[in-house]
Amino acid sequence: MDTPVKLIVGLGNPGPAYERTRHNVGADLVSQLAASANLGLKPESKFFGATGKLVIGDVSVRLLIPSTFMNRSGQAISALARFYQIPTNSILVAHDELDLPAGAARFKKGGGHGGHNGLRDTIQSLGNNKDFARIRIGISHPGNAKQVVDYVLKKPSPSDQSLISQSIDQALTYLPLAVTGQWERAMTALHSST
């Protein structure tokens, strides 16, 4: 049995202009998780984001959607983790993933940032610690590295949005396994379903 998850973070950019864009699918996942538990996330200035608490399985878990821009995500994550003394290996970060097709979602433990500015800042803010887990939500790749910035800040096509929504639903279905430390089961179940 692995370490239970104590903090789930959804990465995105703040404000109406970025709602439902590809870069915000991590925040969308955490919003959906909170809504499914009838939990309202409350803005907390000391944590630079909106936060709440729920029980998944038998584990008490804090949720966080940073209100900082993506490239300052770590400011919020490190502030909350320090305050509640949550170790890095008990943090799960949901984020968009260019290297997976829309409709795919993957659990992952540790690893680098892969060019993702939110992950890069999170690693730096946690003292260059990469031991946090991730939910990688596929958004497909535009095919050209020069197009990436514009691509992630746009809303997906209706067909891609449908696929992304399905992959978020699947990730949430198997999330309790990951939260309670059953990582192998969570990975196998999610990876065979998306």
Side-chain angles (χ1 to χ4, degrees):
M1 201 71 115
D2 289 309
T3 314
V5 171
K6 300 287 191 174
L7 170 60
I8 301 173
V9 184
L11 299 189
N13 283 308
Y18 297 103
E19 278 175 16
R20 310 299 286 175
T21 58
R22 293 181 180 93
H23 224 13
N24 277 38
V25 296
D28 292 344
L29 179 143
V30 171
S31 293
Q32 197 170 315
L33 174 59
S36 70
N38 291 317
L39 174 68
L41 299 180
K42 296 186 176 56
E44 289 258 16
S45 57
K46 69 182 173 187
F47 300 138
F48 309 97
T51 184
K53 188 175 169 188
L54 50 73
V55 175
I56 300 175
D58 56 356
V59 181
S60 179
V61 181
R62 293 190 182 277
L63 304 184
L64 173 66
I65 298 177
S67 56
T68 57
F69 280 94
M70 181 67 86
N71 62 355
R72 295 295 295 125
S73 300
Q75 183 181 23
I77 297 169
S78 61
L80 192 145
R82 267 198 310 272
F83 187 85
Y84 291 113
Q85 299 183 315
I86 297 171
T88 302
N89 64 355
S90 292
I91 299 171
L92 176 60
V93 176
H95 66 89
D96 56 304
E97 179 58 72
L98 286 160
D99 293 335
L100 289 174
R106 298 285 181 264
F107 288 118
K108 182 181 177 186
K109 297 194 77 179
H113 56 71
H116 192 291
N117 288 332
L119 294 179
R120 179 186 280 117
D121 192 63
T122 299
I123 290 167
Q124 287 174 346
S125 299
L126 294 171
N128 286 322
N129 190 332
K130 303 173 186 172
D131 288 345
F132 56 91
R134 300 102 192 274
I135 301 177
R136 304 162 63 220
I137 302 160
I139 59 168
S140 300
H141 196 288
N144 184 327
K146 293 188 177 118
Q147 296 171 342
V148 164
V149 173
D150 283 344
Y151 177 80
V152 299
L153 295 178
K154 286 195 171 76
K155 291 178 169 62
S157 66
S159 58
D160 273 6
Q161 182 58 60
S162 174
L163 290 167
I164 289 166
S165 296
Q166 288 170 27
S167 69
I168 288 174
D169 288 342
Q170 291 291 345
L172 291 175
T173 298
Y174 301 113
L175 183 64
L177 289 172
V179 166
T180 53
Q182 301 173 72
W183 275 97
E184 291 307 318
R185 284 183 64 195
M187 287 178 177
T188 301
L190 179 61
H191 301 182
S192 61
S193 71
T194 64

